[in-house]
Amino acid sequence: MKLLLTSGGVSNQSIRDTLVDLLGKPIAESTALCIPTGMYGMLPRTAVATWQQIAGQTSTPLVELGWKSVGMLELTALPSIDREQWVPLVQETDALLVCGGDVLYLHHWMRESGLADLLPSLSETVYVGLSAGSMVMAPHVGEEFVGWKPAAGGDSALGLIDFSIFPHLDNPLCPDNTMADAETWAARVPVPGYALDDDTALTVVDGALEVVSEGHWKLFER
């Protein structure tokens, strides 16, 4: 897949231009599916925020970018639906907009729904992650981000990239996401880590990583 891994959505012109480049056509000519599942892992406090994200009424832009069409793909529903009903829809969509929330809850339902198995085959699809939607691609998320606990325990995620992500760096609404907190987190994860503020994103295409930023970020090597 073509990955656009953001901390705060498509929050500035540089990230938006990068999205258009990855799509290979204007956003107005592109279709998208919004995946809000991760937000349910943080109920009840995300009940209103989940609707706001889907409705495009947040400060983390995803659905409100001017897409040709936007649908919703709810991962918790997919195990009860024949794959023939939803797999072609995903395969034909230009972009998957994967919202934030609880990263391990999102990881669980990506696995349970079968979406995780499908992702590597979507060579032309642009995966746009927001916060947890970006973090879930990593091999580990770090103990600081373990909220909802999987039955097997641990902090493992999809492992489709070889680094971890610390989002919302220095966001005043996230008092535990300072650079000092990021350094503590990075010392514990067993892979390289990127701390990203909400004006920064990472792209991964054919294994090549690039940083897109109008803000600040830091790479923690291993």
Side-chain angles (χ1 to χ4, degrees), residues 135 145 164-169 176-178 181-182 185 194-196:
M135 298 165 68
F145 297 106
S164 294
I165 294 174
F166 183 100
H168 310 306
L169 178 64
D176 295 327
N177 289 49
T178 66
D181 294 313
W185 164 85
Y194 282 86
L196 310 178

Side-chain angles (χ1 to χ4, degrees), residues 2-46:
K2 303 172 186 178
L3 306 182
L4 178 59
L5 306 176
T6 81
S7 172
V10 184
S11 56
N12 58 53
Q13 193 62 47
S14 296
I15 298 175
R16 186 184 181 99
D17 290 345
T18 299
L19 173 58
V20 173
D21 288 344
L22 293 174
L23 289 167
K25 57 185 175 181
I27 294 173
E29 298 176 11
S30 304
T31 59
L33 287 172
C34 176
I35 300 176
T37 303
M39 301 187 77
Y40 303 140
M42 299 175 71
L43 289 174
R45 60 191 174 97
T46 54

Side-chain angles (χ1 to χ4, degrees), residues 7-216:
S7 172
V10 184
S11 56
N12 58 53
Q13 193 62 47
S14 296
I15 298 175
R16 186 184 181 99
D17 290 345
T18 299
L19 173 58
V20 173
D21 288 344
L22 293 174
L23 289 167
K25 57 185 175 181
I27 294 173
E29 298 176 11
S30 304
T31 59
L33 287 172
C34 176
I35 300 176
T37 303
M39 301 187 77
Y40 303 140
M42 299 175 71
L43 289 174
R45 60 191 174 97
T46 54
V48 173
T50 302
W51 180 85
Q52 290 173 331
Q53 188 75 69
I54 295 168
Q57 297 184 4
T58 71
S59 60
T60 53
L62 282 181
V63 303
E64 62 268 46
L65 302 177
W67 301 94
K68 179 181 179 180
S69 69
V70 180
M72 192 176 83
L73 189 70
E74 178 42 61
L75 302 186
T76 62
L78 296 187
S80 63
I81 300 171
D82 290 340
R83 286 179 59 85
E84 293 76 11
Q85 300 299 316
W86 65 268
V87 169
L89 174 65
V90 173
Q91 292 172 329
E92 295 164 5
T93 297
D94 295 312
L96 300 180
L97 313 178
V98 186
C99 301
D102 189 288
V103 60
L104 295 186
Y105 184 81
L106 175 60
H107 174 238
H108 172 80
W109 282 106
M110 280 189 160
R111 294 285 190 197
E112 287 293 308
S113 67
L115 180 63
D117 294 330
L118 184 62
L119 291 179
S121 70
L122 303 177
S123 59
E124 297 304 313
T125 306
V126 180
Y127 178 105
V128 185
L130 163 61
S131 189
S134 298
M135 298 165 68
V136 74
M137 286 288 169
H140 298 276
V141 303
E143 63 182 58
E144 290 85 349
F145 297 106
V146 175
W148 183 89
K149 294 179 173 60
D155 72 332
S156 296
L158 292 175
L160 295 180
I161 55 177
D162 59 4
F163 57 88
S164 294
I165 294 174
F166 183 100
H168 310 306
L169 178 64
D170 293 329
N171 185 322
L173 298 179
C174 302
D176 295 327
N177 289 49
T178 66
M179 185 63 79
D181 294 313
E183 290 172 352
T184 300
W185 164 85
R188 293 173 177 161
V189 293
V191 294
Y194 282 86
L196 310 178
D197 78 347
D198 286 353
D199 277 314
T200 301
L202 305 173
T203 65
V204 183
V205 181
D206 295 330
L209 183 149
E210 292 187 10
V211 179
V212 181
S213 183
E214 293 185 12
H216 63 285

